[in-house]
Amino acid sequence: MDADAVIKNFDIDFYDIGIDYKLIMRKNEESRNENSTQMLFTTDCDQPRDTKGNGRSVNMGVFMYRTGEAVDFVMNRLMLSNDPKVIHHRFWEQKALLDHLKTDTTMIQNKVIKVVPWNVMNSIGGYYRKGDFVKHHAGQNDQARDELINDFARESFRFST
């Protein structure tokens, strides 16, 4: 989770999101194979609330993964990109992932990578609604991030007393 993302709804469990989207299997479910879900990303805020993704819109501010060959492959591909359009992009890791998903659609088709609606675990800035799991202040200026930290500190203090 990015440093500018804050869990806002403590009634939602990250673990349950993993179960809901088959990233994590319950004990009584069949075992995973190489084609089971290994990475869970969200759409970016250019998609409407509750809209599942197809790999053309991804935000990496909050994502889940479990270890496996597909994760190793994708992460190495992102980290080793030498494309100047990626290296010099403001959100380089997101750009690298989008480029990868455009050229290799099999991971989305096989559901090794799932792209869930952003409001499941990554409500960005002004799109956040009370009750959403995470509020993510992506791309905001320093003042907005300072406000986020102060809000988080006030809420944390309220819960601790």
Side-chain angles (χ1 to χ4, degrees), residues 99-136:
D99 287 354
H100 170 70
L101 295 176
K102 285 177 187 171
T103 58
D104 182 359
T105 59
T106 58
M107 290 186 168
I108 294 281
Q109 291 166 349
N110 294 336
K111 298 185 179 174
V112 173
I113 294 175
K114 287 184 182 174
V115 183
V116 303
W118 52 260
N119 53 289
V120 169
M121 61 181 188
N122 191 20
S123 296
I124 299 166
Y127 297 99
Y128 169 81
R129 290 185 192 165
K130 186 175 175 127
D132 288 350
F133 180 48
V134 170
K135 184 175 185 181
H136 182 193

Side-chain angles (χ1 to χ4, degrees), residues 10-48:
F10 292 95
D11 293 329
I12 297 173
D13 191 323
F14 222 32
Y15 184 81
D16 292 337
I17 293 170
I19 287 176
D20 289 347
Y21 289 95
K22 306 292 185 201
L23 180 73
I24 301 168
M25 300 298 205
R26 291 190 172 102
K27 289 180 183 177
N28 60 348
E29 291 180 310
E30 65 182 65
S31 63
R32 298 176 186 92
N33 61 47
E34 66 277 355
N35 287 332
S36 61
T37 302
Q38 292 186 32
M39 303 182 88
L40 198 61
F41 296 100
T42 67
T43 56
D44 207 350
C45 59
D46 62 341
Q47 298 297 302

Side-chain angles (χ1 to χ4, degrees), residues 45-159:
C45 59
D46 62 341
Q47 298 297 302
R49 177 178 276 272
D50 296 318
T51 302
K52 288 182 185 178
N54 55 12
R56 291 190 196 107
S57 171
V58 175
N59 186 291
M60 291 185 66
V62 179
F63 67 94
M64 296 173 71
Y65 68 92
R66 62 181 177 81
T67 57
E69 288 181 28
V71 173
D72 292 344
F73 175 78
V74 170
M75 292 309 223
N76 281 327
R77 186 103 188 249
L78 301 186
M79 297 303 292
L80 298 175
S81 176
N82 59 4
D83 181 347
K85 292 179 196 165
V86 171
I87 294 169
H88 300 292
H89 195 278
R90 180 175 180 199
F91 302 111
W92 67 268
E93 72 282 5
Q94 204 160 287
K95 171 78 171 130
L97 179 63
L98 286 168
D99 287 354
H100 170 70
L101 295 176
K102 285 177 187 171
T103 58
D104 182 359
T105 59
T106 58
M107 290 186 168
I108 294 281
Q109 291 166 349
N110 294 336
K111 298 185 179 174
V112 173
I113 294 175
K114 287 184 182 174
V115 183
V116 303
W118 52 260
N119 53 289
V120 169
M121 61 181 188
N122 191 20
S123 296
I124 299 166
Y127 297 99
Y128 169 81
R129 290 185 192 165
K130 186 175 175 127
D132 288 350
F133 180 48
V134 170
K135 184 175 185 181
H136 182 193
H137 290 262
Q140 303 242 333
N141 62 31
D142 289 342
Q143 180 182 357
R145 288 183 189 194
D146 289 347
E147 289 173 19
L148 170 69
I149 292 167
N150 290 332
D151 288 347
F152 180 72
R154 277 192 294 278
E155 286 184 32
S156 297
F157 180 73
R158 189 187 69 194
F159 283 120

